[in-house]
Amino acid sequence: IILGDQEKGISLYEEANQLAIDNHLIDLSNQCLSVLIKLFTDYKQYAEIVNYINKINIDSLVSSIPSVYPLLSRCYLELQKPDSARLYLTKIDQTQKIGNGMIINCNIANTYIAEHKIDSALIFLNKAMRQFQNQAERLQKNNIKASLPFYFLPTCSSLATLYQQSGDYQKAGKSFLLVEPLMKKAAKDLSRMEKQVDALARYSSFCRATKQYEKAVDLLMFRDSLQQIINKADKERESKNFISRLQISDLEHQNKLQETSL
């Protein structure tokens, strides 16, 4: 994998997984599966994840890979199969994980947004918002101020774009304003930054359509600054991989010299 030979790396992990299964080493098999799923996710090979996981008993994976249902729902959403994405979201037990209810409801809303079903999306987005408000009230009793969680950003900005496309600029503007602070909130995680970049582009497009040109430019400038950070991080990661490749290549050369000597 480090050498950049993704195909061979995945093939070896699949072979290791099969050997673990044949020898009834369940823990080792689950480790291999976790790495395989991570690799497919890193390379955004969503169809591969779906094909691979569907070959095995998905429900048996939940104990070793708790994120398997959310991952599958994400894959199906990326593959533009929102109905399948919803199926796996409903399998997640909301009562076992604190705070998951808001995330799941936002994600279900995303599946309806992908189908351009605003009314259905609003049912679940409003559920998530009520859960947040209840949480905020509990925190307020302890003098703690709650801010809107980040996972509302992609949902509300996508819904706003849907409103804009349907000609309802007033509701679109309200949805964008609700999550505008999240677009500019400092984030270290690159995946969050990518969501911010997408939301900023959507909001800028709305501002241009409503002739708020100055704000549209400000949003684009902020988006470009985030994109530069993402690009820089990608270059640094590639540079580290390149160094590792050189080190491994050097070790391989030394091994060949030793073999020749022997």
Side-chain angles (χ1 to χ4, degrees):
I1 294 296
I2 294 171
L3 287 170
D5 194 342
Q6 177 194 345
E7 186 177 344
K8 186 171 182 179
I10 288 173
S11 175
L12 286 168
Y13 272 119
E14 287 176 331
E15 185 181 347
N17 178 52
Q18 191 58 52
L19 284 168
I21 292 171
D22 293 344
N23 288 278
H24 309 291
L25 302 171
I26 305 303
D27 290 341
L28 187 58
S29 171
N30 288 336
Q31 287 177 31
C32 291
L33 278 173
S34 297
V35 175
L36 279 167
I37 290 169
K38 183 181 182 304
L39 286 170
F40 287 136
T41 305
D42 289 344
Y43 289 106
K44 297 183 179 180
Q45 295 184 359
Y46 303 112
E48 290 293 336
I49 296 172
V50 169
N51 291 335
Y52 200 87
I53 293 180
N54 282 338
K55 292 177 183 176
I56 55 181
N57 184 353
I58 300 171
D59 295 332
S60 67
L61 277 178
V62 176
S63 58
S64 57
I65 311 174
S67 63
V68 68
Y69 288 151
L71 176 61
L72 276 172
S73 69
R74 175 189 166 191
C75 291
Y76 277 117
L77 197 57
E78 293 286 349
L79 294 170
Q80 298 181 347
K81 295 181 179 179
D83 53 339
S84 297
R86 267 197 304 277
L87 172 66
Y88 287 102
L89 285 169
T90 55
K91 282 177 171 281
I92 302 170
D93 186 357
Q94 298 184 26
T95 61
Q96 288 184 355
K97 296 181 182 179
I98 297 171
N100 242 18
M102 282 183 278
I103 300 173
I104 293 169
N105 283 320
C106 281
N107 286 336
I108 293 175
N110 288 336
T111 66
Y112 283 113
I113 290 169
E115 294 175 328
H116 291 202
K117 296 178 179 177
I118 293 178
D119 291 340
S120 298
L122 282 174
I123 291 171
F124 290 92
L125 181 57
N126 289 337
K127 278 185 183 179
M129 192 60 70
R130 283 196 298 272
Q131 288 169 322
F132 164 67
Q133 288 167 351
N134 291 336
Q135 185 186 74
E137 287 173 6
R138 289 194 299 270
L139 292 171
Q140 193 173 12
K141 290 177 182 178
N142 296 320
N143 296 321
I144 300 172
K145 186 179 179 181
S147 56
L148 194 68
F150 189 85
Y151 40 79
F152 278 90
L153 175 60
T155 306
C156 291
S157 59
S158 298
L159 180 63
T161 297
L162 208 55
Y163 277 132
Q164 181 183 341
Q165 290 171 350
S166 65
D168 195 336
Y169 289 93
Q170 186 177 2
K171 288 182 180 178
K174 285 182 179 178
S175 292
F176 277 127
L177 282 172
L178 179 66
V179 291
E180 184 177 358
L182 296 175
M183 297 181 196
K184 300 176 181 179
K185 190 174 183 179
K188 294 181 180 178
D189 184 69
L190 290 180
S191 63
R192 284 195 171 196
M193 287 186 189
E194 288 171 353
K195 289 181 175 67
Q196 287 175 316
V197 165
D198 178 71
L200 286 161
R202 291 174 182 274
Y203 196 12
S204 177
S205 175
F206 169 78
C207 289
R208 288 199 304 274
T210 53
K211 299 182 179 180
Q212 303 176 63
Y213 299 118
E214 187 175 347
K215 186 165 187 175
V217 171
D218 288 340
L219 291 167
L220 282 178
M221 288 176 67
F222 198 86
R223 182 205 64 176
D224 291 345
S225 66
L226 284 178
Q227 190 62 59
Q228 286 178 5
I229 294 171
I230 294 170
N231 293 341
K232 184 180 178 183
D234 287 339
K235 286 181 180 178
E236 287 176 353
R237 183 168 58 245
E238 183 59 29
S239 176
K240 287 179 182 177
N241 287 342
F242 183 70
I243 292 169
S244 297
R245 290 170 195 167
L246 288 177
Q247 290 173 336
I248 291 174
S249 179
D250 186 51
L251 286 171
E252 287 179 335
H253 179 65
Q254 290 178 25
N255 285 339
K256 287 178 180 177
L257 289 176
Q258 287 177 348
E259 287 173 6
T260 303
S261 178
L262 288 169

